[in-house]
Amino acid sequence: PTATMTEAGEAALRRFHEWCRAEGVTYDEEAVDITTHADGTMGIDRYHYAVYAKRNLAVDTPVVTAIPKAACLSARTCSVAETLREARLGGGLALNIAIMHERSLGEGSRWAGYFAVLPARGERTLPMFWTSAQLAHLRGTDLLRHVTEDAESMRSDFRENVVDGLCVTHPDAFPPGKHTLEAYMEAASLAASRAFFIGEECGEALVPWADMFNHKTDGEHVHVLGADDDDDDGDEEEDEYE
């Protein structure tokens, strides 16, 4: 890794922290910190991030104290939320489109500071981006069939709901030709590798800061819950996660 690579990663991280402060995302700065790694393993991004404890932490120690739902990127918080509602799109499909659209806005997106620390070309390690040579290793397994079917399903979803759907019914928000299948796949990969379920209204969403932790099912290092998950009477805090 070079100094330039590290500097770029740290600059993006500083921007993310500034964005978090502006959005009301808070964490215990004496307990944890995010470190930049520039080792070339992430392809074009050339750096990635990891959360480290600054001291020994007891179980149940809150480390990220507030993540407003409004700061989470979902089909209900994105800038085209009303358009997605009108098109009656929901679930993972709507989230993929929401992420794709916000990423297409560049600096015009509310989440630009958050995108600074996400893989610039999506999560390229997922099978949806594997080459034919890599997929050949899956021959003779059910995995190859699943990957192939998922790829076709993704192409079909994009064609039906974006190209022949939103680009036709809502060309102002989705100008024909602006959004590509590659951009849709990149968005889908971010959702597949990072999304949390944050409630019936928003469904799944990208949750800044929380997605820095290992949140593998039943094997997470940090448990993320809604502020009202353990408080039956609390409805003032239900729009935050901790």
Side-chain angles (χ1 to χ4, degrees), residues 23-124:
E23 292 290 337
V25 178
T26 60
Y27 70 102
D28 185 345
E29 298 183 26
E30 296 183 356
V32 293
D33 197 12
I34 301 174
T35 300
T36 306
H37 290 268
D39 57 12
T41 61
M42 301 304 286
I44 193 172
D45 300 298
R46 295 191 293 185
Y47 47 80
H48 62 278
Y49 306 94
V51 180
Y52 287 87
K54 290 184 173 180
R55 54 182 170 81
N56 290 331
L57 301 174
V59 175
D60 295 333
T61 299
V63 290
V64 180
T65 50
I67 307 173
K69 277 189 180 177
C72 300
L73 175 49
S74 74
R76 295 296 174 256
T77 58
C78 68
S79 59
V80 288
E82 188 56 38
T83 297
L84 297 179
R85 285 180 192 238
E86 291 177 1
R88 303 179 69 82
L89 296 176
L93 172 63
L95 176 59
N96 293 344
I97 294 174
I99 297 171
M100 176 187 70
H101 180 74
E102 291 299 331
R103 293 178 80 229
S104 76
L105 298 178
E107 293 303 311
S109 172
R110 174 180 180 176
W111 288 272
Y114 170 44
F115 290 147
V117 295
L118 294 184
R121 295 180 57 210
E123 189 53 75
R124 309 300 290 194

Side-chain angles (χ1 to χ4, degrees), residues 110-149:
R110 174 180 180 176
W111 288 272
Y114 170 44
F115 290 147
V117 295
L118 294 184
R121 295 180 57 210
E123 189 53 75
R124 309 300 290 194
T125 58
L126 295 184
M128 68 174 73
F129 295 116
W130 286 11
T131 64
S132 297
Q134 289 173 314
L135 289 174
H137 293 293
L138 300 180
R139 285 176 185 162
T141 71
D142 287 339
L143 286 175
L144 181 58
R145 177 172 56 83
H146 289 311
V147 171
T148 302
E149 290 176 351

Side-chain angles (χ1 to χ4, degrees), residues 213-236:
F213 298 104
N214 173 18
H215 54 282
K216 177 182 177 182
T217 304
D218 296 328
E220 70 270 19
H221 298 148
V222 176
H223 186 56
V224 180
L225 68 156
D228 60 335
D229 282 1
D230 55 2
D231 181 1
D232 292 337
D233 298 323
D235 51 18
E236 290 186 2

Side-chain angles (χ1 to χ4, degrees), residues 153-209:
S153 177
M154 198 168 297
R155 286 191 291 269
S156 177
D157 284 343
F158 177 74
R159 183 172 56 250
E160 178 181 345
N161 297 286
V162 179
V163 177
D164 297 334
L166 293 168
C167 290
V168 175
T169 60
H170 297 81
D172 291 340
F174 292 87
K178 179 178 182 180
H179 300 91
T180 65
L181 175 60
E182 182 74 7
Y184 179 79
M185 291 175 62
E186 292 173 357
S189 73
L190 294 176
S193 60
R194 289 165 171 76
F196 290 82
F197 180 78
I198 64 171
E200 293 299 331
E201 173 61 22
C202 290
E204 290 199 335
L206 296 187
V207 183
W209 236 112

